[in-house]
C-alpha cells in the first residue's frame, strides 16, 4: 500500500490515483494543500502534520510515520512534498521512499529546478525518479527521462506530463518487486 506526502496541488498524486495504484493514505505539511481535496474525493484518508504543532521536525516526522504505518503504508511517495524528511522518518521506511524531481539529477536539485535549468540555458533537462535519503535530492536514481529545454514556454507542462507518466510506472514496478 502506498502513502503519498504532498504540499501543493497534487497532480502527481492524481497520476497515481488515475493509474489505479493502491494509495491508502495522504499526508501533508499544509492544511490548504489542494492535494488533500483530491485525496478526499478519491476516498483516501488524509492528515495534516504542520510543523507548528510539534516540538521539532523529528517529532513531526515520527508522528507522521506512525500515522502512515497505522494505515498500512509500505511504500511512501513524495508527490510534490516540499520538506526534507528527517532520519527518524527515513529509518521507518528504509529504501521505500520515492521522490519525483523536475530535472536530470544531480543537476538542479532543490525547489527551483525548472527555473534553474531555464536560467542556465541548458540544452536538455528532464525528470528523475529517485529514492530518498538524508540529502537534498541525493538518493539513488531509479529512472530518468530527458527533455529538450526548448520550447521554453511549454517546459513546465512537458515536465509534468513526463512526471505523471513515469512516476506511476516506477511505483508499480517497485510494488511488484517487493
Amino acid at each position: 500500500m502506498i502513502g503519498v506526502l504532498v504540499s501543493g496541488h497534487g497532480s502527481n498524486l492524481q497520476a497515481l490515483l488515475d493509474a489505479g495504484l493502491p494509495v491508502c493514505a495522504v499526508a501533508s505539511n499544509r492544511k490548504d494543500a489542494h492535494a488533500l481535496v483530491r485525496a478526499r474525493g478519491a476516498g483516501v484518508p488524509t492528515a495534516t502534520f504542520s510543523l507548528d504543532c510539534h516540538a521539532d521536525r523529528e517529532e513531526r516526522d515520527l508522528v507522521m510515520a506512525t500515522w502512515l504505518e497505522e494505515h498500512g503504508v509500505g511504500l511512501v511517495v513524495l508527490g510534490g512534498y516540499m520538506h526534507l524528511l528527517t532520519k527518524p522518518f527515513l529509518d521507518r521506511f528504509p529504501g521505500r521512499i520515492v521522490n519525483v524531481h523536475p530535472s536530470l539529477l544531480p543537476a538542479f536539485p532543490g525547489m527551483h529546478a525548472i527555473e534553474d535549468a531555464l536560467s542556465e540555458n541548458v540544452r536538455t533537462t528532464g525528470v528523475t525518479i529517485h529514492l530518498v535519503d538524508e540529502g537534498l535530492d541525493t538518493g539513488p536514481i531509479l529512472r530518468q527521462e530527458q527533455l529538450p529545454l526548448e520550447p521554453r514556454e511549454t517546459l513546465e507542462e512537458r515536465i509534468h506530463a513526463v512526471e505523471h507518466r513515469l512516476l506511476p510506472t516506477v511505483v508499480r514496478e517497485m510494488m511488484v518487486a517487493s
Side-chain angles (χ1 to χ4, degrees):
M1 299 294 267
I2 301 166
V4 183
L5 304 186
V6 296
S7 291
H9 190 64
S11 63
N12 284 310
L13 166 64
Q14 191 65 54
L16 296 170
L17 294 169
D18 291 347
L21 290 164
V23 176
C24 65
V26 175
S28 181
N29 60 306
R30 294 181 47 214
K31 67 180 178 189
D32 63 343
H34 182 69
L36 296 173
V37 174
R38 290 178 187 263
R40 286 186 210 110
V44 178
T46 65
T48 302
F49 298 91
S50 177
L51 275 176
D52 59 3
C53 295
H54 299 279
D56 54 30
R57 291 172 76 103
E58 288 80 9
E59 179 188 282
R60 186 272 316 264
D61 284 2
L62 278 172
V63 172
M64 185 166 58
T66 299
W67 183 83
L68 290 168
E69 287 173 335
E70 288 170 351
H71 283 81
V73 170
L75 177 66
V76 176
V77 177
L78 307 187
Y81 188 67
M82 304 311 276
H83 279 194
L84 287 176
L85 294 167
T86 60
K87 186 167 174 33
F89 188 97
L90 297 171
D91 288 347
R92 296 281 278 278
F93 299 97
R96 295 179 290 133
I97 306 171
V98 179
N99 187 37
V100 58
H101 186 76
S103 79
L104 294 175
L105 292 173
F108 311 119
M111 290 179 48
H112 305 290
I114 295 173
E115 296 87 349
D116 293 345
L118 288 167
S119 70
E120 290 290 323
N121 204 29
V122 296
R123 291 186 57 141
T124 59
T125 188
V127 172
T128 301
I129 310 293
H130 66 95
L131 292 176
V132 176
D133 62 13
E134 290 184 64
L136 177 63
D137 297 322
T138 57
I141 293 171
L142 300 172
R143 184 94 36 91
Q144 290 185 310
E145 188 169 314
Q146 196 171 21
L147 284 167
L149 188 72
E150 299 295 341
R152 300 168 81 85
E153 305 78 35
T154 63
L155 179 61
E156 188 169 350
E157 176 183 319
R158 290 182 292 120
I159 282 178
H160 290 311
V162 171
E163 288 177 345
H164 299 161
R165 179 176 45 77
L166 204 57
L167 181 62
T169 299
V170 172
V171 168
R172 181 172 278 113
E173 290 169 0
M174 289 184 72
M175 293 186 68
V176 169
S178 62

